[in-house]
Amino acid sequence: MRVLIVDDEPMIVRMMKNYLEDRGFEVDAAASGREAQRCIAEREYDAAIVDVRLPDMDGDRLIAAAARTRPSMRFFLHTGSIDYAPSEELKRHGVDEGSIIRKPVRDMDEIRKMIEEAVKDKRRS
Amino acid sequence: MLSPKNYEPGKPTMKGSTILIVEDEAVISFGIKASLERAGYSVLGIVTTGEEAVAMALENRPDLILMNIVLEGSLDGIEAARRIRQEADIPVIYLTANADEQTVNCARDTMPYGYLNKPINERDLLTNIDSAVQLHRVEMRLKASEEKYRRLIESLNDIIITTDEKGIVTYVSPQIKTIGEYDPSEVVGKNFSMFIYPEDISVVVAHFQAAKESGLQRHEFRAVTKSGKVIWLRSSGGAAFEDGRFIGVRGVLSDITAQKTAADERERSAAFLSAVFDSIQDGISVLDTELRIVRVNEVMRRWYRHHLPLEGKKCYEVYHGRKEACEVCPSRRALLTGSLEVDYVPLVGADGISGTLELFSYPMKDPEGRITGIVEFVRDITARKAAEDALHQANQDLAAANEALQEAVEELEETNEEFERQNRELIDARNEINEREVLLRSILSTVPVGIGLIVDRTIQWSNSALHAMTGYSEKDLRGKSTRILYPSDEEYDRVGRELGDRLAKRGSGLIATQWKTRSGTLIDVEVRATLVDVTRREAGTIVSAVDITEQKRAIEALTESELLFRTMIEYAPIAIAIMDNKGTITYLNRAFNTLTGYTTAEISNIHDWWEKTIPEGSYRAKAKRQWEKSLRLAQQGEMIKPIEGLVRCADGSFKSFEFRLMQIGEKLLAMLNDITEKKVTQEVMIQTEKMASIGGLAAGMAHEINNPLSIILQGAQCALDRLNAASEANREAAERAGASLEAIRAYLEEREIMYYLNSIIDAGERAARIVSSMLQFSRRDQDSIIPLNLKELVERTIDLAWTDYNIKSRAGFEDIRIMREYDENLPLVPCSPTGIEQVILNLIKNAAQALRSPGQAVRNPTITVRTRRDGEFAVLEIEDNGPGIAKELQRRIFEPFFTTKQYGQGTGLGLSVSSYIVAHNHRGSLTVDSEPGKGARFIVRLPLDRKEEGKSQ
């Protein structure tokens, strides 16, 4: 399973990457929206975890654009904001309340489960 | 117009005249030029086109132009001649080769002086030119002469007019415009009589007829101008005859209106003066220097009728019947002095008129100042003179009468002095009596007491106060029975009887009765009677009466008002206590009893009050000091601020009161206002505000804190994850490092590094909880407010709490008993399910933790959950039988970050968040009721009616 982590915080990227790779995931990382777009254009991913605030664009925008070219891909939003809610457009791309990972992450394994289940659902449907 | 053929060609005498040749054929033009110059003419020039001809002719004005009719260019000779003619009078002779009829007709319009047919022979040329130049000169002279005469006529001031034999105007000069305002064209062709003033028409027509025979005579008549003005004209002139036949008149009309008007004016002026002269009712007689009468007015003619006419006679002959001038004559004096002289002279007139005249003589002077005569102005003063004489006589009579009167007056004065002397003695005697009476009277009339002298129940005298009181006057009362003052016979009899008894016994008596005033009003009076002379009852009684109606009414009103205020105080909604100076409580109103539960039986004095209501010693001392200070100020009459105090009621509950003290005479009034609710509301409001501001702060920084917090938590988790023995990768990495994973773990355990990592996770999680709790303050409840069954909500939450790992493990929920006291009739309560669920969970958690406080073993640990209705509120109570909360902490427990729990046991936000949810999101209140050692009861009050606030908050 191939996952793209998009976050400009290198520590977060590193910990998530290590954690998921230890569990057999293939993980790429991008530190900006543009970098993430390049990755998505070059390779196919099953899922992406996108920080809401990226240095060059909003995570929302990145997902909305990527979801159009990669309809089979699953997206998760990573945010430290307590009242963030996905926009209507994101909901149409399948990014709902259940796709929000709120910081601080108290149990890393929750993330793994979320990705595996979501990708499984997607493949079924 | 004259034509050249009428003149015989003579010798060329006009040598030197300048000629312009207009000819486009050079052979011809040069030929002509040579011929002309030989004959002594000067040739101005030769031009070949019409345009050149016009320009040169107008610029140089030649005496003659020889013009070829056919020319090149846009202008032919005829057209050029026409243009020249419009500007200047220069004779033209056309040169033509073959003059056809039409060309000649055209040329004739331009009035040429001749035509020369080509080929031109020199004789024709010169003859034509000579005659044309000559003719032109004659014409010019004639024109000038005609102009001269025309100007002469037109510059005359008079009108020249000619008519035919019938009188129709054939010519009239332009002056008619100035004098008669007509345009000559308006007059010519009309009969002259149309312009004559109607009254004068017959005369003027007669003159016109006569002119046929004898020529026109000078005469004057009036005419009417165009605008209707009447003017005077003088005509002169003569009749015109042709072959002995009358063909009309040629005349001159002069405007003589101005002269005529001036003459009229003079005549009118003279007539006016003459009328004035005659209308003056004094005599006026104008004399020359020889005293000869020149003119007299009507009055003089009347007086001296017998000598008419007076003019021309000497004044002394006519006026005085003398042969010579009088010796005394103001006119003669005036002739000498040259100024006004006045004198009286006798009047001896016709028909026996006689009297006295006042004669004013004015000398008349010419412009050089020489005296030319005398104007005598004569006034008949006969009547005045008679009146003056009569007046003089009367004056003399009056003086005589006055003397007689004077004598009589002197006699009278003597008698008068005698009278006055006697009078003074009389007055002195009376004054003494008066003084005393006046004093007495003034006393009696100024005292506000009605006083009367009564003899045998009959009023002899009464003072003004009695009048004012009863409405009767002195006259109304004098000699009347006192019955008049009483409303009934019964009362009259009673007073007579009772007062009579007292007078008989003590010589005076006092009785209260009612009188009826004159207007019928009943008044309450107090009547005091005293015998004038005790020994003689018949001397009468002095009665004084005081109107006590107002006094009585006031007493009644006072009683009524006292009842009113007593009732008001009794039923006032604030507690009122009245005590005396010694601190004895004399009165407590109903509200006092209902609010505090105390009666005067329990608190009979201030000491009881302090003991019962404030059980805590130091607080009591403080409250007493405040009370006494306030009391001092109240006694000084100052406005004092109410004191606030917490009071224990008879049932043991505490209420907040606002005390107001008021000193009224010897009494002290204490008013107590129950402000418990207000205090609670105030505190809740303050807390809510505080929490909302924390919420705002938290919302701003949550994101910033959550990111590092995430790194901390994930870092620690990842660290533990990489020590996980189950991971193949971990094992391999350990091997590569030359140690077994077990060895590494053992090392970490031993050095407590594992414990550190776990602690980092714990602390991170707690921080995360605090941040998320703080954020509760910033969030309005996302849920809708919906009507819920409170009982079901509570039950669901208890189940949730039971399964909560934290509560179960740390508080040991297992052995806590839950008591349920639900009000089954409680209606559905509008609330947000998640919000209230969180509140209930917090309160149950708190209760459980209180029951499990370390070192405080609670027997039968119980949590009681209770619902009930209180008016418009649903009340939920969660009570525990734990150690309770000290009074001073009760308020602080709702403050954010205030906690009594051990470090790590709570966030310090549970109660404040709960309070915020209840107060801010539900408009309710969360309070606590507790006493140390007796457990704690948390009370949630939720309003049942939230219609006005909409569905969600």
Short mmCIF file of all heavy atoms in Angstrom, two decimals, chain B residues 414-424:
data_model
loop_
_atom_site.label_atom_id
_atom_site.label_comp_id
_atom_site.label_asym_id
_atom_site.label_seq_id
_atom_site.Cartn_x
_atom_site.Cartn_y
_atom_site.Cartn_z
N GLU B 414 -63.47 135.22 62.12
CA GLU B 414 -63.48 135.41 63.57
C GLU B 414 -64.36 134.37 64.25
O GLU B 414 -63.96 133.71 65.21
CB GLU B 414 -63.99 136.82 63.91
CG GLU B 414 -62.88 137.86 63.82
CD GLU B 414 -63.43 139.29 63.89
OE1 GLU B 414 -64.40 139.49 64.65
OE2 GLU B 414 -62.91 140.16 63.17
N THR B 415 -65.57 134.20 63.69
CA THR B 415 -66.50 133.21 64.23
C THR B 415 -65.89 131.81 64.21
O THR B 415 -65.97 131.05 65.17
CB THR B 415 -67.79 133.17 63.39
OG1 THR B 415 -68.04 134.46 62.88
CG2 THR B 415 -68.94 132.64 64.19
N ASN B 416 -65.23 131.50 63.16
CA ASN B 416 -64.62 130.19 62.93
C ASN B 416 -63.60 129.83 63.99
O ASN B 416 -63.56 128.70 64.49
CB ASN B 416 -63.95 130.19 61.55
CG ASN B 416 -64.03 128.79 60.92
OD1 ASN B 416 -64.81 127.97 61.40
ND2 ASN B 416 -63.25 128.57 59.90
N GLU B 417 -62.77 130.75 64.35
CA GLU B 417 -61.73 130.50 65.36
C GLU B 417 -62.35 130.05 66.67
O GLU B 417 -61.86 129.12 67.33
CB GLU B 417 -60.90 131.76 65.60
CG GLU B 417 -59.70 131.82 64.68
CD GLU B 417 -59.02 133.18 64.74
OE1 GLU B 417 -58.97 133.76 65.85
OE2 GLU B 417 -58.57 133.65 63.67
N GLU B 418 -63.45 130.63 67.01
CA GLU B 418 -64.15 130.27 68.24
C GLU B 418 -64.61 128.81 68.18
O GLU B 418 -64.37 128.03 69.09
CB GLU B 418 -65.37 131.22 68.43
CG GLU B 418 -66.24 130.95 69.65
CD GLU B 418 -65.47 131.00 70.98
OE1 GLU B 418 -64.40 131.64 71.02
OE2 GLU B 418 -65.93 130.39 71.96
N PHE B 419 -65.19 128.48 67.02
CA PHE B 419 -65.63 127.10 66.80
C PHE B 419 -64.50 126.10 66.95
O PHE B 419 -64.60 125.08 67.62
CB PHE B 419 -66.20 126.93 65.38
CG PHE B 419 -67.68 127.17 65.30
CD1 PHE B 419 -68.24 128.00 64.33
CD2 PHE B 419 -68.53 126.53 66.21
CE1 PHE B 419 -69.60 128.22 64.27
CE2 PHE B 419 -69.90 126.75 66.13
CZ PHE B 419 -70.45 127.59 65.17
N GLU B 420 -63.39 126.39 66.33
CA GLU B 420 -62.23 125.48 66.34
C GLU B 420 -61.73 125.23 67.74
O GLU B 420 -61.36 124.11 68.10
CB GLU B 420 -61.11 126.06 65.48
CG GLU B 420 -61.29 125.67 64.01
CD GLU B 420 -60.20 126.23 63.13
OE1 GLU B 420 -59.18 126.73 63.67
OE2 GLU B 420 -60.37 126.17 61.89
N ARG B 421 -61.70 126.25 68.53
CA ARG B 421 -61.23 126.12 69.91
C ARG B 421 -62.10 125.11 70.64
O ARG B 421 -61.59 124.18 71.28
CB ARG B 421 -61.26 127.48 70.61
CG ARG B 421 -60.41 127.56 71.85
CD ARG B 421 -60.49 128.94 72.48
NE ARG B 421 -61.87 129.45 72.56
CZ ARG B 421 -62.78 129.04 73.47
NH1 ARG B 421 -62.47 128.11 74.35
NH2 ARG B 421 -64.00 129.55 73.49
N GLN B 422 -63.40 125.29 70.51
CA GLN B 422 -64.33 124.38 71.19
C GLN B 422 -64.14 122.94 70.69
O GLN B 422 -64.13 121.99 71.46
CB GLN B 422 -65.78 124.82 70.92
CG GLN B 422 -66.15 126.09 71.64
CD GLN B 422 -67.54 126.58 71.27
OE1 GLN B 422 -68.26 125.92 70.54
NE2 GLN B 422 -67.91 127.73 71.80
N ASN B 423 -63.99 122.82 69.42
CA ASN B 423 -63.82 121.52 68.78
C ASN B 423 -62.61 120.77 69.32
O ASN B 423 -62.65 119.57 69.58
CB ASN B 423 -63.67 121.73 67.27
CG ASN B 423 -64.26 120.55 66.52
OD1 ASN B 423 -64.95 119.74 67.12
ND2 ASN B 423 -63.97 120.46 65.24
N ARG B 424 -61.49 121.48 69.45
CA ARG B 424 -60.25 120.86 69.92
C ARG B 424 -60.44 120.24 71.30
O ARG B 424 -60.01 119.12 71.55
CB ARG B 424 -59.13 121.90 69.95
CG ARG B 424 -58.29 121.89 68.68
CD ARG B 424 -56.96 122.56 68.90
NE ARG B 424 -57.09 123.93 69.34
CZ ARG B 424 -57.35 124.97 68.51
NH1 ARG B 424 -57.52 124.76 67.23
NH2 ARG B 424 -57.44 126.20 69.00
#
